[in-house]
PDB file of all heavy atoms in Angstrom:
ATOM      1  N   TYR A1000       6.234 -20.234   7.575  1.00 86.00           N
ATOM      2  CA  TYR A1000       7.203 -19.136   7.553  1.00 86.00           C
ATOM      3  C   TYR A1000       6.712 -17.952   6.722  1.00 86.00           C
ATOM      4  O   TYR A1000       7.493 -17.274   6.055  1.00 86.00           O
ATOM      5  CB  TYR A1000       8.560 -19.614   7.040  1.00 86.00           C
ATOM      6  CG  TYR A1000       9.087 -20.803   7.803  1.00 86.00           C
ATOM      7  CD1 TYR A1000       9.116 -22.066   7.221  1.00 86.00           C
ATOM      8  CD2 TYR A1000       9.529 -20.670   9.112  1.00 86.00           C
ATOM      9  CE1 TYR A1000       9.575 -23.173   7.929  1.00 86.00           C
ATOM     10  CE2 TYR A1000       9.994 -21.762   9.830  1.00 86.00           C
ATOM     11  CZ  TYR A1000      10.009 -23.007   9.235  1.00 86.00           C
ATOM     12  OH  TYR A1000      10.466 -24.095   9.937  1.00 86.00           O
ATOM     13  N   GLY A1001       5.400 -17.723   6.756  1.00 86.00           N
ATOM     14  CA  GLY A1001       4.841 -16.546   6.106  1.00 86.00           C
ATOM     15  C   GLY A1001       4.415 -16.743   4.672  1.00 86.00           C
ATOM     16  O   GLY A1001       3.833 -15.845   4.071  1.00 86.00           O
ATOM     17  N   SER A1002       4.658 -17.917   4.085  1.00 87.00           N
ATOM     18  CA  SER A1002       4.320 -18.127   2.669  1.00 87.00           C
ATOM     19  C   SER A1002       2.855 -18.508   2.459  1.00 87.00           C
ATOM     20  O   SER A1002       2.313 -18.342   1.367  1.00 87.00           O
ATOM     21  CB  SER A1002       5.204 -19.222   2.078  1.00 87.00           C
ATOM     22  OG  SER A1002       4.885 -20.494   2.630  1.00 87.00           O
ATOM     23  N   GLY A1003       2.208 -19.011   3.485  1.00 91.00           N
ATOM     24  CA  GLY A1003       0.822 -19.456   3.356  1.00 91.00           C
ATOM     25  C   GLY A1003       0.696 -20.861   2.792  1.00 91.00           C
ATOM     26  O   GLY A1003      -0.397 -21.399   2.686  1.00 91.00           O
ATOM     27  N   LYS A1004       1.829 -21.455   2.411  1.00 91.00           N
ATOM     28  CA  LYS A1004       1.848 -22.806   1.857  1.00 91.00           C
ATOM     29  C   LYS A1004       2.774 -23.695   2.681  1.00 91.00           C
ATOM     30  O   LYS A1004       3.787 -23.240   3.213  1.00 91.00           O
ATOM     31  CB  LYS A1004       2.340 -22.783   0.404  1.00 91.00           C
ATOM     32  CG  LYS A1004       1.445 -22.011  -0.559  1.00 91.00           C
ATOM     33  CD  LYS A1004       0.175 -22.786  -0.872  1.00 91.00           C
ATOM     34  CE  LYS A1004      -0.667 -22.086  -1.916  1.00 91.00           C
ATOM     35  NZ  LYS A1004      -1.895 -22.839  -2.238  1.00 91.00           N
ATOM     36  N   MET A1005       2.430 -24.950   2.750  1.00 93.00           N
ATOM     37  CA  MET A1005       3.250 -25.917   3.476  1.00 93.00           C
ATOM     38  C   MET A1005       3.425 -27.166   2.616  1.00 93.00           C
ATOM     39  O   MET A1005       2.582 -27.475   1.763  1.00 93.00           O
ATOM     40  CB  MET A1005       2.596 -26.276   4.816  1.00 93.00           C
ATOM     41  CG  MET A1005       1.198 -26.876   4.685  1.00 93.00           C
ATOM     42  SD  MET A1005       0.412 -27.190   6.278  1.00 93.00           S
ATOM     43  CE  MET A1005       1.340 -28.615   6.826  1.00 93.00           C
ATOM     44  N   PRO A1006       4.559 -27.874   2.795  1.00 93.00           N
ATOM     45  CA  PRO A1006       4.779 -29.076   1.982  1.00 93.00           C
ATOM     46  C   PRO A1006       3.755 -30.156   2.304  1.00 93.00           C
ATOM     47  O   PRO A1006       3.434 -30.409   3.470  1.00 93.00           O
ATOM     48  CB  PRO A1006       6.185 -29.527   2.398  1.00 93.00           C
ATOM     49  CG  PRO A1006       6.807 -28.352   3.067  1.00 93.00           C
ATOM     50  CD  PRO A1006       5.681 -27.613   3.712  1.00 93.00           C
ATOM     51  N   LYS A1007       3.241 -30.760   1.259  1.00 92.00           N
ATOM     52  CA  LYS A1007       2.350 -31.906   1.472  1.00 92.00           C
ATOM     53  C   LYS A1007       3.172 -33.068   1.988  1.00 92.00           C
ATOM     54  O   LYS A1007       2.736 -33.824   2.861  1.00 92.00           O
ATOM     55  CB  LYS A1007       1.654 -32.278   0.155  1.00 92.00           C
ATOM     56  CG  LYS A1007       0.548 -33.302   0.319  1.00 92.00           C
ATOM     57  CD  LYS A1007      -0.230 -33.487  -0.979  1.00 92.00           C
ATOM     58  CE  LYS A1007      -1.400 -34.434  -0.787  1.00 92.00           C
ATOM     59  NZ  LYS A1007      -2.176 -34.603  -2.041  1.00 92.00           N
ATOM     60  N   VAL A1008       4.395 -33.214   1.431  1.00 94.00           N
ATOM     61  CA  VAL A1008       5.362 -34.202   1.914  1.00 94.00           C
ATOM     62  C   VAL A1008       6.666 -33.462   2.154  1.00 94.00           C
ATOM     63  O   VAL A1008       7.224 -32.858   1.238  1.00 94.00           O
ATOM     64  CB  VAL A1008       5.586 -35.335   0.883  1.00 94.00           C
ATOM     65  CG1 VAL A1008       6.593 -36.329   1.429  1.00 94.00           C
ATOM     66  CG2 VAL A1008       4.271 -36.019   0.537  1.00 94.00           C
ATOM     67  N   LYS A1009       7.151 -33.476   3.380  1.00 93.00           N
ATOM     68  CA  LYS A1009       8.365 -32.732   3.725  1.00 93.00           C
ATOM     69  C   LYS A1009       9.592 -33.351   3.070  1.00 93.00           C
ATOM     70  O   LYS A1009       9.692 -34.570   2.929  1.00 93.00           O
ATOM     71  CB  LYS A1009       8.556 -32.680   5.240  1.00 93.00           C
ATOM     72  CG  LYS A1009       7.510 -31.840   5.958  1.00 93.00           C
ATOM     73  CD  LYS A1009       7.784 -31.801   7.452  1.00 93.00           C
ATOM     74  CE  LYS A1009       6.749 -30.947   8.183  1.00 93.00           C
ATOM     75  NZ  LYS A1009       7.010 -30.922   9.644  1.00 93.00           N
ATOM     76  N   CYS A1010      10.533 -32.495   2.695  1.00 93.00           N
ATOM     77  CA  CYS A1010      11.796 -32.931   2.096  1.00 93.00           C
ATOM     78  C   CYS A1010      12.551 -33.837   3.066  1.00 93.00           C
ATOM     79  O   CYS A1010      12.670 -33.531   4.261  1.00 93.00           O
ATOM     80  CB  CYS A1010      12.646 -31.710   1.737  1.00 93.00           C
ATOM     81  SG  CYS A1010      14.315 -32.093   1.179  1.00 93.00           S
ATOM     82  N   LYS A1011      13.037 -34.959   2.559  1.00 93.00           N
ATOM     83  CA  LYS A1011      13.758 -35.916   3.406  1.00 93.00           C
ATOM     84  C   LYS A1011      15.095 -35.366   3.898  1.00 93.00           C
ATOM     85  O   LYS A1011      15.600 -35.789   4.936  1.00 93.00           O
ATOM     86  CB  LYS A1011      13.997 -37.212   2.629  1.00 93.00           C
ATOM     87  CG  LYS A1011      12.718 -37.959   2.259  1.00 93.00           C
ATOM     88  CD  LYS A1011      13.034 -39.184   1.428  1.00 93.00           C
ATOM     89  CE  LYS A1011      11.762 -39.923   1.007  1.00 93.00           C
ATOM     90  NZ  LYS A1011      12.062 -41.086   0.133  1.00 93.00           N
ATOM     91  N   GLU A1012      15.639 -34.424   3.141  1.00 92.00           N
ATOM     92  CA  GLU A1012      16.959 -33.898   3.487  1.00 92.00           C
ATOM     93  C   GLU A1012      16.894 -32.846   4.588  1.00 92.00           C
ATOM     94  O   GLU A1012      17.661 -32.860   5.537  1.00 92.00           O
ATOM     95  CB  GLU A1012      17.614 -33.292   2.235  1.00 92.00           C
ATOM     96  CG  GLU A1012      19.031 -32.767   2.443  1.00 92.00           C
ATOM     97  CD  GLU A1012      20.045 -33.861   2.668  1.00 92.00           C
ATOM     98  OE1 GLU A1012      19.803 -35.017   2.237  1.00 92.00           O
ATOM     99  OE2 GLU A1012      21.075 -33.584   3.293  1.00 92.00           O
ATOM    100  N   CYS A1013      15.955 -31.911   4.454  1.00 92.00           N
ATOM    101  CA  CYS A1013      15.900 -30.782   5.395  1.00 92.00           C
ATOM    102  C   CYS A1013      14.704 -30.835   6.329  1.00 92.00           C
ATOM    103  O   CYS A1013      14.555 -29.960   7.191  1.00 92.00           O
ATOM    104  CB  CYS A1013      15.894 -29.461   4.631  1.00 92.00           C
ATOM    105  SG  CYS A1013      14.418 -29.223   3.592  1.00 92.00           S
ATOM    106  N   GLY A1014      13.831 -31.826   6.179  1.00 91.00           N
ATOM    107  CA  GLY A1014      12.660 -31.955   7.048  1.00 91.00           C
ATOM    108  C   GLY A1014      11.633 -30.860   6.842  1.00 91.00           C
ATOM    109  O   GLY A1014      10.882 -30.534   7.761  1.00 91.00           O
ATOM    110  N   GLY A1015      11.647 -30.237   5.651  1.00 90.00           N
ATOM    111  CA  GLY A1015      10.660 -29.212   5.349  1.00 90.00           C
ATOM    112  C   GLY A1015      11.116 -27.796   5.637  1.00 90.00           C
ATOM    113  O   GLY A1015      10.403 -26.838   5.348  1.00 90.00           O
ATOM    114  N   LEU A1016      12.322 -27.649   6.201  1.00 90.00           N
ATOM    115  CA  LEU A1016      12.821 -26.316   6.548  1.00 90.00           C
ATOM    116  C   LEU A1016      13.319 -25.552   5.332  1.00 90.00           C
ATOM    117  O   LEU A1016      13.288 -24.320   5.288  1.00 90.00           O
ATOM    118  CB  LEU A1016      13.949 -26.416   7.580  1.00 90.00           C
ATOM    119  CG  LEU A1016      13.578 -26.957   8.957  1.00 90.00           C
ATOM    120  CD1 LEU A1016      14.817 -27.065   9.824  1.00 90.00           C
ATOM    121  CD2 LEU A1016      12.550 -26.051   9.620  1.00 90.00           C
ATOM    122  N   GLY A1017      13.827 -26.275   4.344  1.00 91.00           N
ATOM    123  CA  GLY A1017      14.383 -25.625   3.163  1.00 91.00           C
ATOM    124  C   GLY A1017      15.836 -25.249   3.311  1.00 91.00           C
ATOM    125  O   GLY A1017      16.481 -24.791   2.360  1.00 91.00           O
ATOM    126  N   VAL A1018      16.394 -25.415   4.512  1.00 92.00           N
ATOM    127  CA  VAL A1018      17.807 -25.125   4.760  1.00 92.00           C
ATOM    128  C   VAL A1018      18.437 -26.270   5.548  1.00 92.00           C
ATOM    129  O   VAL A1018      17.754 -26.947   6.332  1.00 92.00           O
ATOM    130  CB  VAL A1018      18.002 -23.794   5.532  1.00 92.00           C
ATOM    131  CG1 VAL A1018      17.452 -22.617   4.752  1.00 92.00           C
ATOM    132  CG2 VAL A1018      17.363 -23.859   6.913  1.00 92.00           C
ATOM    133  N   VAL A1019      19.726 -26.491   5.318  1.00 93.00           N
ATOM    134  CA  VAL A1019      20.470 -27.520   6.045  1.00 93.00           C
ATOM    135  C   VAL A1019      21.849 -26.973   6.400  1.00 93.00           C
ATOM    136  O   VAL A1019      22.373 -26.081   5.731  1.00 93.00           O
ATOM    137  CB  VAL A1019      20.632 -28.804   5.206  1.00 93.00           C
ATOM    138  CG1 VAL A1019      19.318 -29.517   5.021  1.00 93.00           C
ATOM    139  CG2 VAL A1019      21.263 -28.500   3.854  1.00 93.00           C
ATOM    140  N   LYS A1020      22.433 -27.516   7.442  1.00 92.00           N
ATOM    141  CA  LYS A1020      23.791 -27.142   7.847  1.00 92.00           C
ATOM    142  C   LYS A1020      24.765 -27.979   7.031  1.00 92.00           C
ATOM    143  O   LYS A1020      24.706 -29.205   7.040  1.00 92.00           O
ATOM    144  CB  LYS A1020      23.988 -27.411   9.338  1.00 92.00           C
ATOM    145  CG  LYS A1020      25.273 -26.821   9.902  1.00 92.00           C
ATOM    146  CD  LYS A1020      25.118 -25.352  10.204  1.00 92.00           C
ATOM    147  CE  LYS A1020      26.319 -24.811  10.964  1.00 92.00           C
ATOM    148  NZ  LYS A1020      26.188 -23.381  11.253  1.00 92.00           N
ATOM    149  N   LYS A1021      25.639 -27.311   6.307  1.00 92.00           N
ATOM    150  CA  LYS A1021      26.587 -28.049   5.472  1.00 92.00           C
ATOM    151  C   LYS A1021      27.793 -27.172   5.158  1.00 92.00           C
ATOM    152  O   LYS A1021      27.793 -25.958   5.397  1.00 92.00           O
ATOM    153  CB  LYS A1021      25.929 -28.489   4.170  1.00 92.00           C
ATOM    154  CG  LYS A1021      25.489 -27.340   3.260  1.00 92.00           C
ATOM    155  CD  LYS A1021      24.869 -27.852   1.975  1.00 92.00           C
ATOM    156  CE  LYS A1021      24.435 -26.701   1.076  1.00 92.00           C
ATOM    157  NZ  LYS A1021      23.854 -27.171  -0.196  1.00 92.00           N
ATOM    158  N   GLN A1022      28.828 -27.806   4.597  1.00 92.00           N
ATOM    159  CA  GLN A1022      29.999 -27.071   4.144  1.00 92.00           C
ATOM    160  C   GLN A1022      29.768 -26.638   2.703  1.00 92.00           C
ATOM    161  O   GLN A1022      29.361 -27.446   1.869  1.00 92.00           O
ATOM    162  CB  GLN A1022      31.260 -27.931   4.244  1.00 92.00           C
ATOM    163  CG  GLN A1022      31.763 -28.094   5.669  1.00 92.00           C
ATOM    164  CD  GLN A1022      33.168 -28.675   5.722  1.00 92.00           C
ATOM    165  OE1 GLN A1022      33.525 -29.514   4.906  1.00 92.00           O
ATOM    166  NE2 GLN A1022      33.965 -28.215   6.662  1.00 92.00           N
ATOM    167  N   GLN A1023      30.028 -25.384   2.447  1.00 91.00           N
ATOM    168  CA  GLN A1023      29.808 -24.850   1.110  1.00 91.00           C
ATOM    169  C   GLN A1023      31.039 -24.084   0.641  1.00 91.00           C
ATOM    170  O   GLN A1023      31.620 -23.297   1.397  1.00 91.00           O
ATOM    171  CB  GLN A1023      28.584 -23.929   1.093  1.00 91.00           C
ATOM    172  CG  GLN A1023      28.243 -23.377  -0.283  1.00 91.00           C
ATOM    173  CD  GLN A1023      26.985 -22.528  -0.260  1.00 91.00           C
ATOM    174  OE1 GLN A1023      26.221 -22.569   0.702  1.00 91.00           O
ATOM    175  NE2 GLN A1023      26.764 -21.760  -1.306  1.00 91.00           N
ATOM    176  N   GLU A1024      31.415 -24.327  -0.594  1.00 92.00           N
ATOM    177  CA  GLU A1024      32.550 -23.616  -1.174  1.00 92.00           C
ATOM    178  C   GLU A1024      32.064 -22.285  -1.746  1.00 92.00           C
ATOM    179  O   GLU A1024      31.124 -22.249  -2.535  1.00 92.00           O
ATOM    180  CB  GLU A1024      33.205 -24.460  -2.272  1.00 92.00           C
ATOM    181  CG  GLU A1024      34.498 -23.851  -2.791  1.00 92.00           C
ATOM    182  CD  GLU A1024      35.196 -24.759  -3.795  1.00 92.00           C
ATOM    183  OE1 GLU A1024      34.627 -24.973  -4.876  1.00 92.00           O
ATOM    184  OE2 GLU A1024      36.286 -25.262  -3.486  1.00 92.00           O
ATOM    185  N   VAL A1025      32.699 -21.233  -1.325  1.00 93.00           N
ATOM    186  CA  VAL A1025      32.324 -19.896  -1.773  1.00 93.00           C
ATOM    187  C   VAL A1025      33.492 -19.293  -2.545  1.00 93.00           C
ATOM    188  O   VAL A1025      34.621 -19.269  -2.071  1.00 93.00           O
ATOM    189  CB  VAL A1025      31.953 -18.985  -0.584  1.00 93.00           C
ATOM    190  CG1 VAL A1025      31.597 -17.585  -1.072  1.00 93.00           C
ATOM    191  CG2 VAL A1025      30.798 -19.574   0.209  1.00 93.00           C
ATOM    192  N   LYS A1026      33.202 -18.799  -3.731  1.00 94.00           N
ATOM    193  CA  LYS A1026      34.217 -18.161  -4.579  1.00 94.00           C
ATOM    194  C   LYS A1026      34.261 -16.665  -4.275  1.00 94.00           C
ATOM    195  O   LYS A1026      33.239 -15.981  -4.319  1.00 94.00           O
ATOM    196  CB  LYS A1026      33.888 -18.402  -6.053  1.00 94.00           C
ATOM    197  CG  LYS A1026      34.926 -17.873  -7.024  1.00 94.00           C
ATOM    198  CD  LYS A1026      34.512 -18.183  -8.466  1.00 94.00           C
ATOM    199  CE  LYS A1026      35.523 -17.648  -9.464  1.00 94.00           C
ATOM    200  NZ  LYS A1026      35.107 -17.926 -10.862  1.00 94.00           N
ATOM    201  N   ILE A1027      35.456 -16.171  -3.961  1.00 95.00           N
ATOM    202  CA  ILE A1027      35.618 -14.759  -3.601  1.00 95.00           C
ATOM    203  C   ILE A1027      36.528 -14.087  -4.625  1.00 95.00           C
ATOM    204  O   ILE A1027      37.689 -14.465  -4.783  1.00 95.00           O
ATOM    205  CB  ILE A1027      36.218 -14.606  -2.187  1.00 95.00           C
ATOM    206  CG1 ILE A1027      35.329 -15.316  -1.162  1.00 95.00           C
ATOM    207  CG2 ILE A1027      36.388 -13.139  -1.826  1.00 95.00           C
ATOM    208  CD1 ILE A1027      35.961 -15.455   0.197  1.00 95.00           C
ATOM    209  N   VAL A1028      35.993 -13.114  -5.331  1.00 94.00           N
ATOM    210  CA  VAL A1028      36.765 -12.351  -6.312  1.00 94.00           C
ATOM    211  C   VAL A1028      37.268 -11.080  -5.637  1.00 94.00           C
ATOM    212  O   VAL A1028      36.470 -10.237  -5.205  1.00 94.00           O
ATOM    213  CB  VAL A1028      35.910 -12.006  -7.544  1.00 94.00           C
ATOM    214  CG1 VAL A1028      36.721 -11.172  -8.539  1.00 94.00           C
ATOM    215  CG2 VAL A1028      35.394 -13.275  -8.214  1.00 94.00           C
ATOM    216  N   ILE A1029      38.581 -10.953  -5.531  1.00 94.00           N
ATOM    217  CA  ILE A1029      39.195  -9.806  -4.854  1.00 94.00           C
ATOM    218  C   ILE A1029      39.629  -8.789  -5.908  1.00 94.00           C
ATOM    219  O   ILE A1029      40.412  -9.117  -6.804  1.00 94.00           O
ATOM    220  CB  ILE A1029      40.390 -10.254  -4.008  1.00 94.00           C
ATOM    221  CG1 ILE A1029      39.905 -11.238  -2.935  1.00 94.00           C
ATOM    222  CG2 ILE A1029      41.069  -9.063  -3.360  1.00 94.00           C
ATOM    223  CD1 ILE A1029      40.946 -12.144  -2.398  1.00 94.00           C
ATOM    224  N   PRO A1030      39.125  -7.583  -5.844  1.00 94.00           N
ATOM    225  CA  PRO A1030      39.440  -6.578  -6.874  1.00 94.00           C
ATOM    226  C   PRO A1030      40.886  -6.094  -6.795  1.00 94.00           C
ATOM    227  O   PRO A1030      41.509  -6.134  -5.728  1.00 94.00           O
ATOM    228  CB  PRO A1030      38.459  -5.446  -6.559  1.00 94.00           C
ATOM    229  CG  PRO A1030      38.183  -5.580  -5.099  1.00 94.00           C
ATOM    230  CD  PRO A1030      38.214  -7.043  -4.800  1.00 94.00           C
TER     231      PRO A1030
END
């Protein structure tokens, strides 16, 4: 993905992509 480096061992969670589909709680501060 343009970094010039690749994992020697891919992450078990994301398979080396660095991103996963998940639910995330986001805090929104309304002025």
